[in-house]
Amino acid sequence: MTPAAHSPMAPVPYRVTGRRAETADTVTLTLKPVEAAVPDPVPGQFTMMYVFGVGEAPISVSRIGPLPEERGSARSRGTGPVLEQTVRAVGAVTRAVCATQSGQVVGLRGPFGTGWGLDGARGRDLLLAAGGIGLAPLRPAVLHALSARDSFGRISVLIGARTPDDLLFVDELDMWRANGAQVEVTVDRPVPGWAGHIGLITALVGAAKVDPARTAAFICGPEVMMRVTAEALIAGGMRAADVRLSLERNMRCGLGWCGHCQLGPLLICRDGPVLPYERAVPLMTVREL
């Protein structure tokens, strides 16, 4: 019996088959199951990643299966289920995850939490707004929508970062554009040679080529960024019910057992991380809740 079959608290071994530095403190790992695999995540979910001898932390799933241009290729056939997970080094466990090299084995539990709800957005325009590492959990939604292009209307991806060096998945952005997505990028602090937008991500909302009345919006980033971006979208004609946010709290178990990620009446690992705007914002605006 595999660990996944008898205990949701037992990590399933995954081998690191690729490691890519995204920024100075952020790494994307490509993972393949050693034997058994965790169930396929849906875009927006996360796993608990265990570094043996160090501990575990919640890590965003940033790719599920092959990229669109790899599907059906010799590169993708026969490789088995593949995940990519993107992590920023902010503590002992995440620093250990970032230091992991190809060939090493880590443990995964999950997937946990709620997804973006892409099935309910079929036939509609999509607007995805990311601040910093918030692009990681949004990336599977972008890739899914591009791989099922006829199922969605216009796709607009708005990305904000502190500096150009803090942008994630830079090499993919042109591929997203080539596959039909509008991609707009802004930075707070430009560097010489930067030709893109400068300023807050809210300044990009008006440039999004979507119809507010038929758009589903997914937002992930710092809480203030999510709240003001959502408010700008709603002020521009979107319904609050069509806006979803991804929250982050101190998740330890992923199963709603330990209570560390409690936010008012919610346990974010179980009831989130993706929540409707109308449910999330009243809790986000309560100081120290």
Side-chain angles (χ1 to χ4, degrees):
M1 183 177 292
T2 66
H6 67 78
S7 173
M9 293 298 289
V12 176
Y14 271 68
R15 191 174 306 279
V16 178
T17 61
R19 180 185 185 277
R20 182 176 66 254
E22 303 287 352
T23 72
D25 62 358
T26 305
V27 168
T28 294
L29 300 179
T30 304
L31 305 168
K32 287 186 63 177
V34 174
E35 293 181 358
V38 300
D40 287 347
V42 299
Q45 289 188 303
F46 67 95
T47 72
M48 298 296 296
M49 185 181 294
Y50 186 78
V51 180
F52 297 99
V54 181
E56 68 176 0
I59 307 296
S60 296
V61 176
S62 58
R63 177 162 70 94
I64 306 161
L67 291 167
E69 70 272 15
E70 297 171 352
R71 286 191 172 92
S73 68
R75 180 178 176 182
S76 67
R77 286 195 299 271
T79 57
V82 175
L83 298 179
E84 282 193 345
Q85 303 212 234
T86 301
V87 58
R88 185 172 61 190
V90 294
V93 177
T94 51
R95 284 195 295 269
V97 172
C98 286
T100 303
Q101 301 296 316
S102 292
Q104 290 183 251
V105 174
V106 297
L108 294 188
R109 293 193 297 112
F112 297 119
T114 53
W116 291 111
L118 279 163
D119 286 345
R122 289 184 179 274
R124 311 185 69 190
D125 291 351
L126 295 180
L127 186 147
L128 305 97
I133 199 169
L135 187 57
L138 283 168
R139 183 187 182 215
V142 175
L143 296 177
H144 176 85
L146 292 178
S147 70
R149 194 66 193 85
D150 293 341
S151 297
F152 300 93
R154 289 167 287 189
I155 301 171
S156 182
V157 184
L158 312 181
I159 302 168
R162 289 174 296 176
T163 73
D165 289 338
D166 293 309
L167 289 167
L168 303 181
F169 316 126
V170 174
D171 294 339
E172 285 184 30
L173 302 186
D174 283 341
M175 182 271 288
W176 296 357
R177 294 183 180 103
N179 281 275
Q182 175 196 12
V183 180
E184 303 289 345
V185 181
T186 187
V187 298
D188 296 336
R189 300 194 299 272
V191 297
W194 174 253
H197 299 281
I198 301 170
L200 299 178
I201 193 171
T202 49
L204 299 180
V205 168
K209 298 175 182 177
V210 295
D211 178 359
R214 62 185 301 268
T215 297
F218 308 146
I219 309 174
C220 188
E223 288 194 0
V224 171
M225 168 264 169
M226 290 195 292
R227 180 170 52 81
V228 298
T229 301
E231 290 169 353
L233 292 172
I234 293 166
M238 282 198 62
R239 297 190 311 154
D242 293 330
V243 179
R244 298 175 71 81
L245 315 178
S246 183
L247 302 188
E248 182 178 358
R249 286 297 183 273
N250 182 19
M251 302 179 197
R252 297 287 183 87
C253 70
L255 295 159
W257 293 352
C258 70
H260 281 89
C261 65
Q262 184 174 5
L263 179 64
L266 305 178
L267 294 170
I268 297 303
C269 73
R270 182 192 66 194
D271 303 315
V274 180
L275 292 166
Y277 168 88
E278 294 169 310
R279 194 176 189 194
V281 167
L283 301 174
M284 292 166 59
T285 53
V286 177
R287 187 176 181 182
E288 298 184 0
L289 181 62

